Each structure stands twice: as C-alpha cells, then as structure tokens.
Amino acid sequence: VQLQASGGGLVQPGGSLKVSCTASGIIFSINVMGWYRQAPGKQRELVAGIISGGRTNYADSVKGRFAISRDNAKNTVYLQMNSLKPEDTAVYYCGAEMKTNPLTSYRDYWGQGTQVTVSS
C-alpha cells in the first residue's frame, strides 16, 4: 500500500494550487485522509483532514483559503489551495488511515511529500 502525492510547485502570493494524493495497493477501507505540511525548522502540522463520510477540519491558518475533498471511488484526496501566502511554503504530505483487510486495525500511511513554494 502506498500514497502518491502530486501537484506541488512554485506559485506567486495570492495564487492557487491543487495537490492530490492517491492510495494504491490492496486496500480494504480508508477512514481519514489528510494533508500535513512541514516548513524548514518547524514541526509537521495538520493542514486539513476529511473522514470517509465527508466531514472536514482545517488548521486555523488555512480556514477560508484551502479546501480538502476526496473521491472515495479513486482513493484520492485533494487539497485546493487559494490565496496562497509565503508562509504556506512547505513540503506537503498526505496521510491516511487504512485497512488492508477486514481483520486488521486501521494504521497510518504517509506519502512522500510534495514541495509547495509561494514566492514572487
């Protein structure tokens, strides 16, 4: 089982960017999917999360600017980032709680990260 993130890049302040992350492999069920970020010299922080039923939560710093969504049929989670600021610059990681079969417990999986740089 793996998570593959894509869509990062360089964007000017005020711009938009959409990142996506797809889970692949033998997957029985996915509970929570989320995006985290880590800036140089800082700890990894939760940006946004979404459960299988669609309920979402966001870090205060991104509320009103970012939107998380998921396509359960594609095992994919998206993060639409608008009104980007230089302080949003970080490596963005996707994470998910997944089961590979009905007898196991959910465990956490992480993607490889994608760089988002907001700069003029």
Side-chain angles (χ1 to χ4, degrees):
V1 177
Q2 64 176 359
L3 292 169
Q4 181 70 43
S6 62
L10 173 65
V11 63
Q12 292 187 341
S16 297
L17 202 61
K18 187 174 185 177
V19 292
S20 62
C21 176
T22 299
S24 62
I26 300 176
I27 300 169
F28 173 75
S29 175
I30 302 177
N31 185 20
V32 182
M33 302 187 84
W35 287 96
Y36 297 75
R37 67 187 181 188
Q38 187 167 20
K42 294 188 177 182
Q43 289 188 333
R44 188 176 297 190
E45 63 175 356
L46 173 68
V47 177
I50 182 168
I51 64 172
S52 58
R55 189 174 66 186
T56 60
N57 67 294
Y58 296 92
D60 288 343
S61 60
V62 306
K63 282 180 181 177
R65 300 188 298 122
F66 291 10
I68 189 170
S69 61
R70 64 191 277 178
D71 184 332
N72 291 328
K74 296 181 178 179
N75 292 335
T76 298
V77 62
Y78 306 95
L79 185 68
Q80 176 67 47
M81 301 180 284
N82 300 322
S83 302
L84 282 160
K85 304 175 181 179
E87 51 262 44
D88 294 317
T89 296
V91 177
Y92 283 69
Y93 298 90
C94 62
E97 289 183 352
M98 296 190 285
K99 281 187 180 185
T100 56
N101 68 74
L103 300 179
T104 61
S105 300
Y106 283 104
R107 56 160 287 193
D108 294 334
Y109 293 84
W110 293 95
Q112 84 284 9
T114 184
Q115 178 69 47
V116 172
T117 302
V118 184
S119 175
S120 55

